[in-house]
Amino acid sequence: MDQKTSTPDNNKTFKNKIWITTGIVLLVFLSAYLFTTLLNLLLLVLAGVLMSVYFHACADFLKRKLKMGSPYALILSVILNIIIVGIFFWFVGARLNSQVNELSDKLPQTLEHAKSWLSERPLGEKILNYSTNSLDSGKASSTIKSFFSSTFGILSDLYIVVLLGMFFTASPKVYRKGLIHLIPPEGKATAENLWDELHHILKNWLKGQIFGFFFIAVLSGLGLWILGMPLVLTLALVAGILNFIPNFGPLIALIPAVLLGLMQGTNTALWVLGLYTFIQIIQTAVMQPLIQKKMVSVPAALLVFGQVGMGVIAGFWGVLLATPLIAIVMTLVNKLYVEKQEGKTK
């Protein structure tokens, strides 16, 4: 009698477990889908936050040097940056535009020249065959297309970033108070400390990246000018801007420079390759340790994994903002979990 009454109960319990498991799996898949869908938008928000952090860092510098109030220093920071960008494009814009157009015209010729140069060598012929098969399969073109796809279009993305950056710059305290109001009372002090810590990390990351931009751009420009390369200004700016993408950025910047060098001759291409390698060695050995002293030191393997993963999920914006995003996650994990666990063990 007991076995007959317990069997329906067991079946009912088993069915409930199946429904609960199914619900959990569906919830996980739904959360993953929402995360990947909203991630691109969150990255645009992060880019706007970084712009705001940059303007406020400039304002802090002006406030210290000129002994002026915060609102006036912030207004002056925005105006000065706009003036500097305007002056740059006023004096260099026409030349830069012509060099960019010339580079876009020359790149197909350089690619054909590189193909003919590779086809004359056994190893080069194998590389050409492999790349041709990859392109014919459509995988490479689809990957490149998805990588450079944007959330709302390139111009729309930039407009959203600038708009968010201006809003965050104008009234950061409003957004800070709004986020902290969502935290339970016992966690508000921790949230305020975390806000300050993340602001400090992002500011120092921006300082290091901007310093690295000028370092790479100036050294690349001088070296290419000494080698007698064409389009020095464009290649130097490309190298400096792509320095914002660790590991992969310098490799991408190297490709057009070596291709143009190959048009000048094999020796020139080798000299360009040596120049970019030498600059990266200096940056890795001298600059990077100095930068990492002022910000969260992200392990190299974790950074590469994060860049590849973010590139697959979010494309270009994911690779560009992978470093500050990983630094934010590491800080949150360290402050909210690791330090508390260490405090319990003591």
Side-chain angles (χ1 to χ4, degrees), residues 184-211:
E186 62 272 12
K188 290 187 184 296
T190 303
E192 290 180 356
N193 292 333
L194 267 177
W195 181 284
D196 295 334
E197 181 74 16
L198 292 175
H199 181 271
H200 179 72
I201 287 170
L202 293 178
K203 183 172 72 172
N204 285 330
W205 178 79
L206 275 175
K207 284 181 182 178
Q209 294 304 114
I210 292 170
F211 191 73

Side-chain angles (χ1 to χ4, degrees), residues 119-226:
S119 62
E120 296 173 359
R121 292 156 177 80
L123 180 60
E125 192 172 355
K126 291 181 180 179
I127 294 173
L128 281 176
N129 291 332
Y130 176 78
S131 59
T132 303
N133 293 332
S134 298
L135 289 173
D136 290 340
S137 66
K139 292 181 180 178
S141 58
S142 62
T143 302
I144 293 171
K145 185 178 179 180
S146 63
F147 177 78
F148 286 104
S149 62
S150 56
T151 310
F152 305 104
I154 296 297
L155 293 178
S156 299
D157 282 359
L158 292 176
Y159 176 75
I160 292 170
V161 169
V162 172
L163 196 64
L164 289 172
M166 290 302 173
F167 286 148
F168 294 150
T169 301
S171 53
K173 291 182 180 179
V174 173
Y175 303 100
R176 172 174 178 160
K177 288 180 180 178
L179 284 174
I180 292 177
H181 275 314
L182 299 175
I183 308 298
E186 62 272 12
K188 290 187 184 296
T190 303
E192 290 180 356
N193 292 333
L194 267 177
W195 181 284
D196 295 334
E197 181 74 16
L198 292 175
H199 181 271
H200 179 72
I201 287 170
L202 293 178
K203 183 172 72 172
N204 285 330
W205 178 79
L206 275 175
K207 284 181 182 178
Q209 294 304 114
I210 292 170
F211 191 73
F213 164 80
F214 286 106
F215 177 80
I216 295 294
V218 170
L219 278 188
S220 300
L222 285 174
L224 293 171
W225 177 71
I226 292 171

Side-chain angles (χ1 to χ4, degrees), residues 309-320:
M310 292 298 295
V312 171
I313 297 172
F316 173 76
W317 284 110
V319 177
L320 181 65

Side-chain angles (χ1 to χ4, degrees), residues 23-238:
I24 292 173
V25 171
L26 290 175
L27 182 62
V28 169
F29 277 108
L30 180 62
S31 301
Y33 174 75
L34 290 175
F35 174 76
T36 54
T37 304
L38 296 176
L39 181 60
N40 289 323
L41 182 59
L42 293 175
L43 289 174
L44 296 182
V45 173
L46 177 58
V49 169
L50 288 171
M51 180 181 289
S52 172
V53 170
Y54 169 75
F55 283 129
H56 279 278
C58 294
D60 291 339
F61 176 79
L62 293 173
K63 190 164 58 176
R64 290 195 306 269
K65 296 298 180 182
L66 302 179
K67 308 296 182 184
M68 60 194 311
S70 297
Y72 302 106
L74 185 58
I75 294 171
L76 185 60
S77 167
V78 175
I79 292 173
L80 283 178
N81 277 282
I82 293 173
I83 290 174
I84 290 170
V85 173
I87 290 174
F88 174 80
F89 282 103
W90 178 268
F91 287 102
V92 186
R95 185 180 175 187
L96 181 62
N97 184 54
S98 64
Q99 287 196 6
V100 169
N101 291 331
E102 188 178 351
L103 180 62
S104 62
D105 292 336
K106 279 188 174 182
L107 274 180
Q109 302 174 15
T110 58
L111 286 172
E112 291 299 324
H113 183 77
K115 285 181 180 178
S116 62
W117 184 81
L118 286 171
S119 62
E120 296 173 359
R121 292 156 177 80
L123 180 60
E125 192 172 355
K126 291 181 180 179
I127 294 173
L128 281 176
N129 291 332
Y130 176 78
S131 59
T132 303
N133 293 332
S134 298
L135 289 173
D136 290 340
S137 66
K139 292 181 180 178
S141 58
S142 62
T143 302
I144 293 171
K145 185 178 179 180
S146 63
F147 177 78
F148 286 104
S149 62
S150 56
T151 310
F152 305 104
I154 296 297
L155 293 178
S156 299
D157 282 359
L158 292 176
Y159 176 75
I160 292 170
V161 169
V162 172
L163 196 64
L164 289 172
M166 290 302 173
F167 286 148
F168 294 150
T169 301
S171 53
K173 291 182 180 179
V174 173
Y175 303 100
R176 172 174 178 160
K177 288 180 180 178
L179 284 174
I180 292 177
H181 275 314
L182 299 175
I183 308 298
E186 62 272 12
K188 290 187 184 296
T190 303
E192 290 180 356
N193 292 333
L194 267 177
W195 181 284
D196 295 334
E197 181 74 16
L198 292 175
H199 181 271
H200 179 72
I201 287 170
L202 293 178
K203 183 172 72 172
N204 285 330
W205 178 79
L206 275 175
K207 284 181 182 178
Q209 294 304 114
I210 292 170
F211 191 73
F213 164 80
F214 286 106
F215 177 80
I216 295 294
V218 170
L219 278 188
S220 300
L222 285 174
L224 293 171
W225 177 71
I226 292 171
L227 293 176
M229 285 284 294
L231 311 178
V232 171
L233 179 61
T234 302
L235 293 176
L237 282 176
V238 168

